[in-house]
Amino acid sequence: MRRRLFCALCLVLALCLPAAAAPLRVFVPIPPLTYLAERVGGNRVAVSVLVPPGADPHTFEPRPRLMAELAGAKGCFTIGMPFEKTLLDRILPTTPTLTVFPADRGIPRISMEEHPHEDEKAEAGHPHEEGLDPHIWLSPRNGLKMVRNLRDGLISLDPAGAATYRRNAEALSVEIRALDRELTSLFAPRKGMALLVFHPAWGYFCRDYGLRQVAVEVEGKEPKPAQMKALIDRGRELKVKVLFLQPQISAKSASALADALNARVVKADPLAEDWMENLRRQARVFREALN
């Protein structure tokens, strides 16, 4: 009898206690933003990604299941990638509860040209203009702005968690500022030197640390023979010994160019989920290539 009374009392207490709130469900466009959103959101947020690891956002096609999952989320953060507009134009008319927040707010775009400079800016909010670089996340300095935007978006969705989001965002920002100082020091002796990359994803990184990005791709396409010859001449002039290729791309011209330059092909992943450590890791690889 006592045991039954004890079990009944436990059941009554369990029913009286408030149920733990389910985490806030939000989406981010690419894996690196998962890291930032999870750091800011902590245990209060469940983060899902639109483009899964290993996929190329430039050629991404959403699955029907993803559309259903997105419809069940409360918020979606964007960074101005072309696929985002296509996807959201399809889902928003039937999903009035989904709120979209621009994680790229306040981040001016730079040109996709070989030599990006501070003055080659475009007004933020017009990311689809031809010739502007969408790879904003590959910069600690841009990362600081994205952290603030993630914080503000999460507070808007979940005001009760404001103190948590502010605290987490500030702790993460301290780490990002330290990373920026570390990379500034790392590349200080190599200002003006060039990185040869297949896909021009590292323009913001190069801008921040005084480097130059020379890309093999021409407007998203592999180079024609005349363009390849010009790249070979340019690579020899710059004494390039490493060609950086992202793992999401398989390109025959990368191997051909590397052979012509007697250079190594080295992976440089712009979409790795471990955002901070990936930037630190790639910085060291870049620095070694510039020796």
Side-chain angles (χ1 to χ4, degrees):
M1 177 64 74
R2 290 180 179 177
R3 185 175 179 180
R4 289 180 180 177
L5 287 173
F6 176 76
C7 292
L9 179 60
C10 289
L11 179 60
V12 170
L13 289 173
L15 292 173
C16 291
L17 290 173
L24 181 70
R25 182 79 179 276
V26 299
F27 271 82
V28 295
I30 54 175
L33 268 292
T34 302
Y35 173 90
L36 297 176
E38 288 180 342
R39 286 290 307 271
V40 175
N43 294 331
R44 297 185 69 92
V45 175
V47 182
S48 298
V49 64
L50 296 177
V51 180
D56 184 354
H58 301 87
T59 58
F60 172 69
E61 287 291 336
R63 309 177 312 277
R65 180 179 175 182
L66 173 62
M67 302 291 285
E69 293 173 349
L70 188 58
K74 292 297 182 184
C76 182
F77 291 91
T78 61
I79 55 171
M81 297 292 286
F83 78 87
E84 296 170 346
K85 185 178 187 304
T86 302
L87 178 60
L88 292 174
D89 282 350
R90 291 166 60 183
I91 193 69
L92 286 177
T94 59
T95 315
T97 58
L98 181 68
T99 305
V100 178
F101 298 95
D104 61 336
R105 187 178 66 247
I107 300 178
R109 295 304 200 272
I110 63 173
S111 169
M112 288 285 282
E113 294 177 8
E114 175 184 327
H115 309 289
H117 297 288
E118 278 289 345
D119 58 349
E120 291 176 340
K121 295 180 179 179
E123 181 183 353
H126 300 278
H128 304 296
E129 289 185 44
E130 187 176 354
L132 300 183
D133 190 343
H135 306 90
I136 61 168
W137 66 92
L138 293 171
S139 156
R141 298 172 193 178
N142 287 347
L144 287 171
K145 295 178 181 178
M146 288 189 289
V147 166
R148 289 196 293 268
N149 293 332
L150 288 165
R151 176 201 65 194
D152 293 345
L154 292 175
I155 289 174
S156 177
L157 290 171
D158 176 26
T164 297
Y165 302 139
R166 290 192 180 102
R167 181 173 61 250
N168 292 348
E170 181 53 34
L172 178 56
S173 295
V174 168
E175 294 180 34
I176 295 174
R177 292 187 194 101
L179 174 64
D180 183 39
R181 291 192 297 270
E182 176 186 334
L183 300 191
T184 298
S185 176
L186 183 70
F187 289 109
R190 294 293 182 268
K191 283 193 174 182
M193 296 189 71
L195 293 173
L196 181 62
V197 300
F198 185 84
H199 181 67
W202 298 90
Y204 294 93
F205 185 98
C206 289
R207 174 203 63 184
D208 287 353
Y209 303 112
L211 307 176
R212 290 182 291 158
Q213 174 181 249
V214 179
V216 175
E217 269 189 350
V218 180
E219 297 180 350
K221 302 176 182 178
E222 295 203 20
K224 297 177 181 178
Q227 294 166 331
M228 177 66 83
K229 182 180 183 303
L231 280 167
I232 292 171
D233 293 341
R234 183 72 170 135
R236 288 172 176 166
E237 176 190 343
L238 297 170
K239 299 180 180 179
V240 169
K241 294 301 178 186
V242 178
L243 168 58
F244 292 99
L245 178 69
Q246 67 186 70
Q248 294 83 12
I249 292 176
S250 176
K252 294 180 180 179
S253 56
S255 296
L257 179 58
D259 289 344
L261 295 174
N262 193 26
R264 295 180 294 124
V265 176
V266 175
K267 299 294 184 183
D269 191 356
L271 293 168
E273 185 171 333
D274 56 338
W275 178 82
M276 186 174 296
E277 188 53 38
N278 184 52
L279 286 179
R280 179 178 282 112
R281 181 170 57 245
Q282 291 298 160
R284 292 169 180 166
V285 174
F286 289 155
R287 178 64 174 78
E288 182 180 351
L290 295 174
N291 284 339

